[in-house]
Amino acid sequence: MGRVPDPVVVELANDISAIEKAVENFVQWCGRACPDRRRLLLNFRVGLTEALSNAMLYGNGDDPEKTVLVELSIDGGDLHVRITDQGRGFDPSSLPDPRTPDNITKPGGRGIFLMRQLMDEVRYNASGNSVTLVMREIVGRGPLRRP
Amino acid sequence: MAFTVRQEGNVTVVEVEGQLIVGNRQELKQRVLDELDGGGKNFAIDFSDTGYIDSSGLGVLVSLSKKIREQGGELRLAALNEDLRTLFELTKLDTLFQISDDLAGALQGF
């Protein structure tokens, strides 16, 4: 187990079948830095999965020729992960509430809602093709480490 | 991750081992639709061995529940751990499904 550069930067192929393994790698990188297992295994794991699937399916249009960039860092005790796709972006400001009676029976529309519920902060760049997820005060015991 | 399908009386039971996420949701959907096409009406999904579910997985459950109801059947969920229950509560999907603490509870009254 060795210390890895902070931030960790990984370029992922645009392949939704690889999301599970990629997320598990990031979870292990954060393991020592984030001793709160529930925040790591629920909030971070699901939030990151949502961000990656949005980037691959919608941002990159499920195009296998494209990639997704993931940058992971700890800043002042907060965990930041930025996910950037190669798409044209979108407007995340006007998404419907998936919990309303009209929307709750629809199969889609919960991804960004879940990210916002599970992470302490979710912010997009101006064009909407890059999202930063923040978990605050993770009270780390150490740096990001390669498992 | 793997799905196991078996019959318990008149109920088709599906066990989800691992994650139910964007990468495998279509496989679950197809397995259940195949059973539905084969005459199955009552379904219970057992999450005893499930790690986590993302919004795509939740969406597949919503979609399957609707299709099963249209065929006169019902989809019930069982054995959600605390984290999975949190996801259903955050999205209010706990109001859409009958959720039992264990599979035996889900099978009762079918």
Side-chain angles (χ1 to χ4, degrees), chain A residues 10-30:
Chain A
V10 178
E11 188 173 26
L12 298 174
N14 204 76
D15 175 8
I16 59 168
S17 69
I19 288 177
E20 180 180 357
K21 179 63 179 170
V23 169
E24 291 312 312
N25 285 339
F26 287 116
V27 164
Q28 289 193 42
W29 263 321
C30 296

Side-chain angles (χ1 to χ4, degrees), chain B residues 8-26:
Chain B
E8 291 265 353
N10 65 337
V11 182
T12 303
V13 175
V14 182
E15 294 175 5
V16 178
E17 185 181 330
Q19 332 306 344
L20 175 56
I21 60 174
V22 63
N24 67 343
R25 73 202 193 285
Q26 289 296 350

Side-chain angles (χ1 to χ4, degrees), chain B residues 3-110:
Chain B
F3 305 111
T4 304
V5 180
R6 69 175 195 276
Q7 286 297 128
E8 291 265 353
N10 65 337
V11 182
T12 303
V13 175
V14 182
E15 294 175 5
V16 178
E17 185 181 330
Q19 332 306 344
L20 175 56
I21 60 174
V22 63
N24 67 343
R25 73 202 193 285
Q26 289 296 350
E27 182 185 344
L28 174 69
K29 186 174 185 178
Q30 196 55 55
R31 294 288 295 271
V32 172
L33 290 179
D34 287 347
E35 295 292 330
L36 192 62
D37 287 344
K41 280 196 170 184
N42 300 321
F43 291 82
I45 300 186
D46 183 353
F47 290 100
S48 302
D49 293 321
T50 308
Y52 68 106
I53 303 176
D54 70 358
S55 65
S56 296
L58 294 173
V60 159
L61 297 176
V62 170
S63 173
L64 286 173
S65 177
K66 185 178 178 184
K67 287 182 184 299
I68 291 167
R69 276 202 311 273
E70 288 170 354
Q71 300 290 324
E74 184 180 356
L75 172 64
R76 297 180 183 176
L77 311 180
L80 298 169
N81 65 30
E82 186 182 1
D83 289 351
L84 298 184
R85 273 195 179 271
T86 296
L87 296 174
F88 279 79
E89 289 165 5
L90 285 173
T91 53
K92 292 197 173 176
L93 288 177
D94 58 326
T95 65
L96 204 64
F97 291 96
Q98 178 173 323
I99 301 174
S100 300
D101 289 341
D102 54 33
L103 182 61
L107 295 177
Q108 283 181 354
F110 251 133

Side-chain angles (χ1 to χ4, degrees), chain A residues 46-120:
Chain A
V46 177
L48 180 56
T49 301
E50 298 297 347
L52 290 175
S53 60
N54 280 346
M56 292 183 184
L57 282 177
Y58 305 115
N60 283 346
D62 210 14
D63 181 347
E65 300 298 319
K66 292 185 176 176
T67 60
V68 172
L69 191 67
V70 184
E71 298 161 273
L72 190 68
S73 63
I74 292 178
D75 182 9
D78 300 339
L79 178 66
H80 294 244
V81 56
R82 182 165 61 189
I83 298 96
T84 304
D85 62 57
Q86 297 175 313
R88 297 169 59 185
F90 76 112
D91 177 7
S93 65
S94 58
L95 297 172
D97 186 338
R99 301 168 299 178
T100 64
D102 283 347
N103 293 330
I104 196 165
T105 56
K106 294 179 180 174
R110 296 180 181 85
I112 292 173
F113 172 83
L114 271 182
M115 276 197 290
R116 287 175 168 156
Q117 292 286 319
L118 293 171
M119 306 303 289
D120 294 315

